[in-house]
């Protein structure tokens, strides 16, 4: 026996078609879609609860049964044997529960204990299952994986993987949380209008142009639903925020990627040629930290679709384009209090644009909790200067860290965010080296135009010294 590892399902199916197995089990999230690509197999079994053993002993297959010498007298030969044909079957978890003992007993009588064990290992309907068949005709959704959330690091670990603030939380926000009214927690929140007004003052825009949500992710998801027709297209340059194609596919939209130009810059021409209903641009971008100039955004606004400008890291950048939304009715700018204001645990996002009301229609009510409202109002009223001071520290440390990386032979990408992307020869090996040093960073493999890289959040200098020590085991990108 042996195990063959493939990087993609298409490779596995291509091998199966060349090998032409007697039996083929497709234990994949969408077995029906995979079946359509199978061109050479005797009997195909669909889904995790199906089993080759069931085909042998209970549900039938396209080879001679029973065995044990009976084939000397009885044969499955017919005209069908002179053409190539493939049968397929699928057993539900309920069916597996009914069949596994029958098939197991028959396999034992045949003297095949491994077959019997395989049959009895199949899940019954009332047992936990790793896969549930969706009845809705959403094969694209069935192939969508949940967003991977890493477990909490150990007490001695330094977590620099998620781009949150390492320079302290707004004192006013903490005080507001301590003073939360217990009675208010039993009721739905109701100060969203106050939060919108405070954010409008902060950005110097009309309050009618502002909407809020459970993080800027929530508003991106709602904007895609509200501003793109069913089955429409969203275009974006790569690499970029990984949730964008996920939100597009979850909302039944087509995602179109535009590769970067040879110099790594955003390919505005390719995005315009896509004719997309909505173009997404993050500036500063994630995971690169790249800033996209005002002229690039204005060129995109000359196209036919809506433009969503993700400004999650704008406080750390060279320019703020939020007020462009006042002059361009098809521009939506998304912002967050997670990064510079250090309120990621409270999930307060906001968006600015003339389309704010349309986005409101696509989001649920009470998307900002009462404690988050209190903390946001306190931070915006009392801690804007403190936030800007912490940003100055972060930017200075970012630039110092980039210089130290260059002195060690690395070539970090220029960053306008609170993190740095460092190209490396092998991201997985580098991430493992950091793990041994009790430092968590985000590894990226084969980024378009870049290759492998590590995204490292910027913290106080003593934390960056710990990163530089761990980098001694890491090979720079050639």
């Amino acid at each position: 026996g042996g195990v063959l590892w493939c990087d993609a399902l298409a490779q596995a199916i291509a091998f199966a078609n060349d090998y032409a197995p007697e039996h083929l089990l497709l234990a994949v999230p969408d077995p029906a879609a995979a079946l359509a690509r199978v061109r050479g197999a005797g009997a195909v079994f669909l889904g995790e609860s199906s089993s080759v053993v069931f085909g042998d002993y209970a549900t039938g297959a396209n080879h001679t049964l029973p065995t044990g010498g009976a084939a000397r007298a009885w044969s499955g030969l017919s005209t069908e044997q002179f053409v190539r044909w493939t049968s397929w079957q699928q057993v539900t978890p309920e069916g597996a529960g009914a069949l596994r003992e029958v098939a197991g007993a028959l396999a034992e009588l045949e003297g095949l204990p491994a077959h019997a064990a395989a049959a009895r290992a199949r899940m019954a309907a009332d047992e936990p299952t790793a896969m549930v068949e969706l009845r809705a005709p959403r094969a694209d959704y069935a192939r969508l994986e949940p967003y991977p959330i890493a477990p909490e690091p150990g007490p001695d670990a330094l977590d620099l993987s998620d781009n949150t603030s390492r320079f302290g939380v707004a004192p006013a926000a903490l005080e507001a949380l301590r003073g939360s009214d217990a009675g208010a927690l039993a009721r739905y929140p109701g100060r969203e209008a106050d939060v919108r007004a405070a954010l409008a003052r902060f950005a110097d825009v009309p309050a009618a142009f502002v909407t809020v949500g459970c993080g800027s992710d929530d508003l991106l998801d709602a904007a895609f639903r509200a501003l793109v027709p069913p089955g429409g297209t969203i275009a974006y340059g790569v690499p970029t925020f990984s949730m964008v194609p996920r939100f597009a596919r979850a909302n039944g939209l087509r995602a179109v990627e535009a590769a970067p130009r040879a110099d790594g810059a955003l390919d505005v021409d390719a995005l315009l040629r896509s004719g997309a209903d909505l173009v997404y641009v993050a500036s500063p971008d994630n995971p690169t930290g790249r800033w996209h100039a005002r002229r690039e955004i204005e060129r995109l606004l000359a196209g036919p679709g809506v433009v969503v400008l993700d400004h999650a890291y704008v406080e750390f950048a060279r320019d703020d384009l939020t007020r462009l939304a006042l002059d361009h009715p098809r521009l939506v700018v998304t912002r967050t209090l997670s990064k510079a204001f250090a309120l990621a645990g409270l999930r307060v996002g906001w968006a600015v644009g003339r389309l704010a009301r349309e986005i409101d229609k696509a989001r649920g009510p009470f998307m900002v909790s009462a404690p988050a409202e209190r903390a946001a109002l306190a931070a915006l009223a009392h801690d804007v200067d403190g936030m800007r001071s912490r940003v100055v520290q972060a930017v200075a440390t970012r630039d110092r860290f980039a210089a130290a990386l260059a002195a060690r032979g690395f070539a970090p990408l220029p960053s306008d965010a609170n993190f740095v992307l460092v190209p490396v020869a092998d991201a997985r090996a580098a991430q493992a080296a950091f793990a041994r040093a009790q430092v968590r960073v985000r590894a990226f493999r084969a980024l378009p135009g870049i290759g492998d890289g590590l995204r490292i959040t910027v913290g106080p200098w003593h934390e960056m010294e710990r990163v530089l020590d761990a980098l001694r085991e890491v090979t720079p990108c050639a």
Side-chain angles (χ1 to χ4, degrees):
V3 175
L4 302 181
W5 179 272
C6 297
D7 290 327
L9 179 60
Q11 291 176 304
I13 291 176
F15 171 81
N17 286 337
D18 288 341
Y19 188 77
E22 181 182 7
H23 300 126
L24 178 65
L25 172 62
L26 298 174
V28 298
D30 190 358
L35 173 65
R37 296 150 65 185
V38 173
R39 293 293 179 267
V44 184
F45 301 82
L46 305 188
E48 212 171 53
S49 54
S50 301
S51 172
V52 171
V53 183
F54 294 159
D56 280 350
Y57 297 105
T59 59
N62 69 338
H63 56 90
T64 303
L65 287 176
T67 54
R72 287 192 293 270
W74 290 278
S75 171
L77 185 66
S78 71
T79 55
E80 292 175 330
Q81 267 59 58
F82 297 92
V83 295
R84 187 185 65 79
W85 64 290
T86 297
S87 64
W88 65 270
Q89 56 184 264
Q90 185 167 14
V91 177
T92 65
E94 293 83 358
L99 291 171
R100 59 184 182 178
E101 284 303 323
V102 173
L106 287 169
E108 285 179 343
L109 289 172
E110 287 280 294
L112 299 171
H115 278 54
R120 288 171 174 146
R122 285 310 189 266
M123 296 168 296
D126 58 350
E127 293 175 341
T129 175
M131 186 181 304
V132 177
E133 181 185 359
L134 293 177
R135 300 300 181 184
R138 285 291 306 277
D140 59 330
Y141 193 83
R143 291 191 292 270
L144 193 66
E145 294 292 330
Y147 184 82
I149 298 178
E152 281 293 309
D156 297 326
L158 172 61
D159 190 356
L160 301 178
S161 66
D162 60 5
N163 303 341
T164 52
S165 175
R166 304 291 304 177
F167 292 90
V169 179
L174 284 175
E175 189 60 32
L177 291 173
R178 292 190 188 99
S180 293
D181 179 6
L185 297 181
R187 301 188 301 273
Y188 287 116
R191 304 184 68 186
E192 186 176 289
D194 294 341
V195 176
R196 293 186 193 215
L199 289 166
R201 288 191 295 271
F202 172 69
D204 191 22
V205 297
F209 282 35
V210 177
T211 185
V212 295
C214 184
S216 57
D217 294 17
D218 174 38
L219 295 169
L220 289 173
D221 186 25
F224 289 4
R225 250 190 332 276
L227 307 178
V228 182
T233 302
I234 291 176
Y236 50 91
V238 291
T240 196
F241 183 35
S242 63
M243 287 302 298
V244 172
R246 188 181 297 270
F247 284 146
R249 295 184 180 111
N251 285 300
L253 307 175
R254 191 167 67 94
V256 176
E257 297 180 351
R261 293 185 341 203
D263 61 357
L266 185 71
D267 194 336
V268 175
D269 291 328
L271 292 172
L272 290 171
R273 285 195 302 270
S274 73
D277 300 290
L278 184 150
V279 174
Y280 168 90
V281 179
S283 184
D285 214 334
N286 176 16
T288 65
R290 182 183 292 275
W291 173 257
H292 300 302
R294 179 184 295 260
R295 63 180 179 278
E296 294 176 302
I297 307 305
E298 290 177 333
R299 280 191 63 205
L300 288 171
L301 288 165
V306 172
V307 175
V308 172
L309 175 60
D310 187 341
H311 251 3
Y313 302 94
V314 70
E315 287 87 355
F316 306 95
R318 68 191 73 181
D319 194 9
D320 182 348
L321 305 183
T322 302
R323 285 175 54 81
L324 269 180
L326 303 183
D327 302 321
H328 295 276
R330 288 182 294 101
L331 175 63
V332 174
V333 181
T334 58
R335 302 280 298 266
T336 183
L337 300 188
S338 294
K339 309 301 182 182
F341 276 96
L343 298 179
L346 293 174
R347 313 300 297 129
V348 181
W350 50 298
V352 176
R354 295 178 183 267
L355 292 168
R357 176 173 166 76
E358 302 307 309
I359 296 172
D360 271 344
K361 296 176 186 178
R363 54 185 279 274
F366 312 120
M367 295 302 287
V368 180
S369 70
E373 287 178 343
R374 289 180 64 97
L377 288 169
L380 291 164
H382 305 295
D383 200 60
V384 171
D385 289 341
M387 175 274 292
R388 288 172 177 154
S389 176
R390 292 189 292 273
V391 165
V392 168
Q393 295 178 58
V395 169
T397 307
R398 176 194 72 198
D399 296 343
R400 181 183 177 187
F401 178 55
L405 289 169
R408 285 162 173 77
F410 293 89
L413 273 63
S415 175
D416 271 68
N418 68 333
F419 58 84
V420 175
L421 184 70
V422 187
V424 294
D426 186 330
R428 284 183 177 171
Q431 189 177 42
F434 272 89
R436 289 191 293 272
Q438 291 285 294
V439 179
R440 179 184 285 183
V441 296
R442 181 75 180 271
F444 292 87
R445 298 191 68 205
L447 291 172
I450 298 169
D452 281 18
L454 298 179
R455 192 191 66 194
I456 304 172
T457 305
V458 171
W461 186 247
H462 69 274
E463 295 183 351
M464 309 323 293
E465 287 180 317
R466 192 167 162 184
V467 172
L468 292 169
D469 287 341
L471 277 168
R472 291 171 181 166
E473 294 187 49
V474 177
T475 303
C477 187

